Amino acid sequence: MSDADRTATAAAFFDGARLTMARHLAGLRKSDLAALIKKSPTAVSAWETGAKKPTPSTVAQLALGLSVDPGFFAARPNDVAKASALPHFRSLRSTSQLARDQAFAYGQIALDIAESLERHVELPDVDLLSRPVELDDLDVLPREVVNG
């Protein structure tokens, strides 16, 4: 499949949430991305919300500007990102919204990779050794382990 065909396919199955994720991964605001690809922030917002779909040439510009493959923007059948809960940050004041969005996007990518691995890789069954522990053996363990 040629690059033009992949870009056209990505444009046909474009998912605005994937654009948002790529923008967050890059640590960009909508206005930053718009300036980067020489489009309006309103257009970027419309693509992210799904109100409009970008043309194949715009998808290519977005991919180049965000350093992702055009196929990144295509909708996934079981998109884990939509089912994810919002992350927790210990201090919202010391963490900028841009940093929180970027951290969340990295988490979504990790879930996407894990889901792909589960689909395509068959891992061996877990085989942990089991050894019974006698109560007398607890005396040789450090106090932190025994007391929790």
Side-chain angles (χ1 to χ4, degrees):
M1 183 182 279
S2 73
D3 287 343
D5 291 339
R6 288 186 325 167
T7 303
T9 301
F13 295 104
F14 189 83
D15 181 8
R18 301 290 294 180
L19 172 59
T20 303
M21 185 188 317
R23 182 175 56 78
H24 287 166
L25 286 169
L28 297 174
R29 292 181 173 83
K30 289 178 189 176
S31 58
D32 298 333
L33 177 58
L36 187 66
I37 62 168
K38 296 179 176 53
K39 303 287 183 186
S40 72
T42 306
V44 173
S45 185
W47 299 327
E48 287 188 358
T49 61
K52 292 187 177 185
K53 291 207 182 254
T55 64
S57 64
T58 302
V59 170
Q61 286 179 311
L62 288 167
L64 188 61
L66 293 168
S67 300
V68 297
D69 186 85
F72 182 87
F73 300 119
R76 308 288 197 277
N78 296 324
D79 200 348
V80 188
K82 292 178 183 159
S84 306
L86 291 175
H88 171 74
F89 292 91
R90 200 168 67 180
S91 174
L92 293 177
R93 284 187 222 180
S94 63
T95 309
S96 70
Q97 183 64 47
L98 205 57
R100 290 192 303 256
D101 290 342
Q102 189 175 33
F104 183 57
Y106 276 118
Q108 289 175 318
I109 291 295
L111 288 172
D112 200 13
I113 291 168
E115 195 266 338
S116 292
L117 286 173
E118 286 177 356
R119 262 196 332 242
H120 300 291
V121 177
E122 187 171 330
L123 299 172
D125 292 334
V126 176
D127 186 22
L128 298 176
L129 293 175
S130 174
R131 191 183 97 168
V133 178
E134 298 293 327
L135 289 178
D136 295 336
D137 292 343
L138 292 178
D139 293 335
V140 296
L141 294 175
R143 286 193 185 275
E144 304 85 54
V145 175
V146 175
N147 296 330

